[in-house]
Amino acid sequence: MELRGSQYIGQIHVAGNDETFTATNPASGEVLPVEFHEATADEVDQAVRLAEEAFPVYAAKSPEQRAVFLEKIAEEIMELGDDLIQRCHEETALPGGRLKGERGRTVNQLKLFARVVREGSWVDARIDTALPDRQPLPRADIRQMLKPVGPVGVFGASNFPLAFSVAGGDTASALAAGCTVVVKGHPAHPGTSELIAVAILRAAAATGMPDGTFSMVQGTSYNVGEALVKHPLIKAVGFTGSFRGGKALFDLANQRDEPIPVFAEMGSTNPVFILPEALKTKGEEIAKSFAGSVTLGVGQFCTNPGLAFIPKSPESETFREVLTDAISGIDAGNMLTKGIKEAFENGANKLSNQEYIETVASGVTGEGSTAVPAKIFKTTYESYGAQPFLEEEVFGPSSLLVEVKSKTEVMDVARSLDGHLTATIHGTENDLKEYADLFGLLERKVGRLIVNGYPTGVEVCDAMVHGGPYPATTAPQSTSVGTNAIKRFGRPVCYQDFPGSLLPDALRNSNPLKIWRLINAEYTKDPV
Ligand code: NAP
């Protein structure tokens, strides 16, 4: 398929702006073909207005129709074949094998949401039937369910050009909920974004979805994204990316005349706690796997373990030696963009320039134009406590080891943590018993707790939570991965004393959708 470099305002291609940008191959520095046009403010406005026009028609589609649409998007993405993998590889330097895996995850995610929509219980239908004889006052018939919020603006991250981008989790869950979507494409992979946008639009046309159900605007200027967030017809925002970007858009949304929810999933340092007996009995094994987790995908994962607390002991010396050995054998990989490489180098230099930080391991340096070696740093409990910036994410293949000397210090650092996506504990049975109170502390700090594993690798399933307290996200009550992500784009609406004929299907007495409902305090699929 030939790329146009235009905006996709529903099924119409528009390229009204003379200002263009190109994609660069991060490995070679080569400029890739096709000039992409920056969206104008007017084009953003047109896309959002069309999304608003389409909204009532799309929201009224049956669950089955929406499920078929989502499955068709998955099919159309697969139809793009190797063209998609090739362009994506050129734009990101991510290996073809990894991208094929990510494509699989992306289409399976779409199919998973199709299953959720078909099953239907996600709308959380609740029915309290009337109590006309209740004393001293009768009770009305009261019913509620989640209804789609309206047009949603979506921003994807550069590090998952498929699974957290144009047809990623935010778009899939918003479309599943019945919302129309306007995506602001990530400028690091505009060709990939365009290919995926075309796949979604082909699916929309093939399944009879109204024009404007999906649109995509592109651009390198912040103006494009800001115009989308500020548009009065946008009713929610899904964002995956850096803390700086997410916080800027969150603030912008709150400054609107009508503030709207921003579901921003941002950076995280994902602390790891290695407990004393685990360090003694399997420290070497943990060190090797830890090296793998820190350097996976050149460390460009939001779940990268960037911070590890380790008991100061003779075994911690061995741990460091094994880790140093493992890291020093790992080849440099290319980062996603020049900007991300520079940010990594600045962050790593800032750490290595501090007198209280020791660089304990460096990976192999590389030739590619954005290649970086992995880094492991070490500091003390006291220095960590005195320097709050050490908890911040350095996006890339690095981690900071903090030596702790007692359980009190472990509990202190856990208590002082900000919000993160994950926390990991390595412990033997004895450790886990002795440190049972650590879990209670960490539950308040993160969205996902892992025992004797690694945070990288986020399963897309019903029980997943990919979220966490601020600053990991701006919406700690939600998840951006897994089926619960759909609830971010629903708003509860209550229907009091409604005649049956006016009720949505999910709330009708006969339960025509055969979904689980909470009727007079009991979950059931029975009719009222
Ligand atoms: P990014 O630079 O924040 O970019 C994300 C998107 O936001 C881009 O479209 C970007 O457009 C836009 N944007 C950023 N700042 C903006 C601003 N001030 N105003 C308007 N738009 C703005 O993030 P990235 O570099 O692609 O991704 C890496 C980061 O994402 C890492 O910190 C990583 O940990 C995090 N991440 C988090 C998750 C998660 O689920 N929590 C998943 C993956 C990645 P421009 O490029 O044009 O600015």
Side-chain angles (χ1 to χ4, degrees):
M1 192 200 107
E2 289 236 334
L3 296 172
R4 295 170 186 271
S6 62
Q7 320 309 324
Y8 284 79
I9 299 180
Q11 301 288 349
I12 313 270
H13 326 120
V14 194
N17 199 338
D18 290 340
E19 267 182 58
T20 58
F21 66 101
T22 47
T24 307
N25 182 324
S28 64
E30 173 205 358
V31 172
L32 296 169
V34 181
E35 297 204 325
F36 294 85
H37 293 259
E38 290 272 336
T40 61
D42 189 47
E43 287 164 350
V44 175
D45 178 59
Q46 284 174 43
V48 178
R49 283 182 189 284
L50 197 62
E52 170 66 15
E53 229 178 277
F55 174 70
V57 185
Y58 180 63
K61 295 280 177 188
S62 70
E64 178 59 25
Q65 286 169 314
R66 287 214 294 274
V68 168
F69 172 42
L70 293 168
E71 286 165 346
K72 187 70 180 160
I73 297 174
E75 194 184 312
E76 290 290 346
I77 289 174
M78 292 311 294
E79 282 290 309
L80 294 168
D82 282 347
D83 285 0
L84 174 68
I85 302 298
Q86 182 58 27
R87 177 76 194 193
C88 196
H89 168 64
E90 286 167 1
E91 290 186 332
T92 62
L94 295 171
R98 139 82 198 264
L99 291 173
K100 282 185 183 158
E102 193 179 323
R103 179 180 60 184
R105 175 191 165 121
T106 309
V107 301
N108 286 336
Q109 185 163 257
L110 287 157
K111 291 178 191 168
L112 183 66
F113 279 111
R115 190 261 279 163
V116 169
V117 172
R118 239 182 222 119
E119 194 283 329
S121 304
W122 75 273
V123 298
D124 196 11
R126 288 155 184 257
I127 298 174
D128 292 311
T129 51
L131 299 174
D133 301 328
R134 190 180 68 172
Q135 292 300 328
L137 287 172
R139 181 174 83 184
D141 181 282
I142 300 172
R143 305 181 182 213
Q144 73 146 276
M145 66 178 289
L146 293 174
K147 299 292 283 183
V149 292
V152 173
V154 169
F155 295 73
S158 56
N159 60 336
F160 283 92
L162 302 172
F164 280 93
S165 192
V166 178
D170 285 346
T171 298
S173 51
L175 289 175
C179 296
T180 51
V181 169
V182 179
V183 165
K184 189 273 178 178
H186 197 294
H189 53 261
T192 305
S193 297
E194 183 172 337
L195 289 168
I196 297 282
V198 169
I200 298 174
L201 288 165
R202 283 179 181 155
T207 55
M209 296 302 145
D211 195 20
T213 299
F214 173 85
S215 291
M216 184 181 73
V217 289
Q218 300 239 51
T220 52
S221 142
Y222 286 166
N223 297 343
V224 178
E226 288 177 3
L228 184 59
V229 172
K230 285 202 290 203
H231 201 295
L233 295 174
I234 286 289
K235 295 300 173 199
V237 173
F239 172 94
T240 307
S242 62
F243 172 76
R244 233 177 51 176
K247 178 68 165 55
L249 296 175
F250 175 75
D251 289 344
L252 204 61
N254 280 300
Q255 286 154 13
R256 293 170 33 133
D257 287 344
E258 178 200 353
I260 51 168
V262 175
F263 299 97
E265 300 284 334
M266 306 181 287
S268 178
T269 322
N270 305 296
V272 175
F273 291 81
I274 301 170
L275 301 183
E277 201 175 81
L279 182 65
K280 262 195 199 130
T281 55
K282 47 180 184 173
E284 296 189 17
E285 183 195 319
I286 299 172
K288 284 183 198 154
S289 315
F290 184 76
S293 186
V294 171
T295 54
L296 190 72
V298 202
Q300 299 171 115
F301 287 123
C302 46
T303 48
N304 190 53
L307 194 55
F309 300 101
I310 176 165
K312 187 173 167 56
S313 62
E315 291 82 17
S316 65
E317 295 296 326
T318 316
F319 179 91
R320 266 203 317 282
E321 280 161 24
V322 176
L323 185 56
T324 302
D325 258 15
I327 292 283
S328 57
I330 292 176
D331 285 339
N334 278 290
M335 299 201 83
L336 292 151
T337 65
K338 224 168 123 231
I340 288 180
K341 177 197 176 178
E342 280 163 15
F344 175 72
E345 286 176 339
N346 290 340
N349 288 340
K350 185 170 172 189
L351 291 176
S352 63
N353 287 338
Q354 309 299 331
E355 65 197 5
Y356 49 83
I357 290 182
E358 187 189 328
T359 305
V360 294
S362 273
V364 180
T365 47
E367 309 256 295
S369 72
T370 57
V372 293
K375 297 274 178 195
I376 302 288
F377 304 100
K378 184 189 103 171
T379 194
T380 60
Y381 162 82
E382 287 74 18
S383 302
Y384 174 78
Q387 302 291 341
F389 86 91
L390 296 180
E391 198 185 330
E392 289 168 15
E393 180 188 47
V394 176
F395 186 62
S398 85
S399 196
L400 173 66
L401 307 181
V402 179
E403 288 191 324
V404 283
K405 299 180 292 303
S406 62
K407 182 177 173 193
T408 310
E409 291 190 359
V410 171
M411 298 304 281
D412 273 356
V413 289
R415 205 172 287 114
S416 74
L417 285 173
D418 283 334
H420 292 269
L421 295 170
T422 70
T424 302
I425 298 110
H426 283 276
T428 60
E429 226 178 298
N430 288 333
D431 284 330
L432 298 182
K433 252 187 234 147
E434 198 190 327
Y435 282 78
D437 39 354
L438 178 60
F439 291 90
L441 274 183
L442 293 178
E443 271 172 5
R444 299 185 59 190
K445 306 287 184 176
V446 305
R448 180 163 60 107
L449 286 159
I450 300 135
V451 170
N452 292 330
Y454 294 89
T456 37
V458 184
E459 191 67 33
V460 185
C461 60
D462 291 324
M464 178 50 66
V465 174
H466 190 60
Y470 184 86
T473 81
T474 55
Q477 73 281 25
S478 66
T479 175
S480 69
V481 176
T483 53
N484 244 359
I486 192 172
K487 296 211 171 137
R488 298 174 301 166
F489 302 114
R491 188 174 60 77
V493 178
C494 184
Y495 303 83
Q496 189 164 326
D497 279 338
F498 257 51
S501 59
L502 285 184
L503 279 169
D505 284 351
L507 297 178
R508 292 193 176 204
N509 283 351
S510 61
N511 194 13
L513 301 177
K514 302 191 170 38
I515 59 176
W516 286 101
R517 308 188 296 179
L518 184 64
I519 302 181
N520 296 328
E522 275 197 29
Y523 280 104
T524 172
K525 284 190 173 185
D526 290 345
V528 175

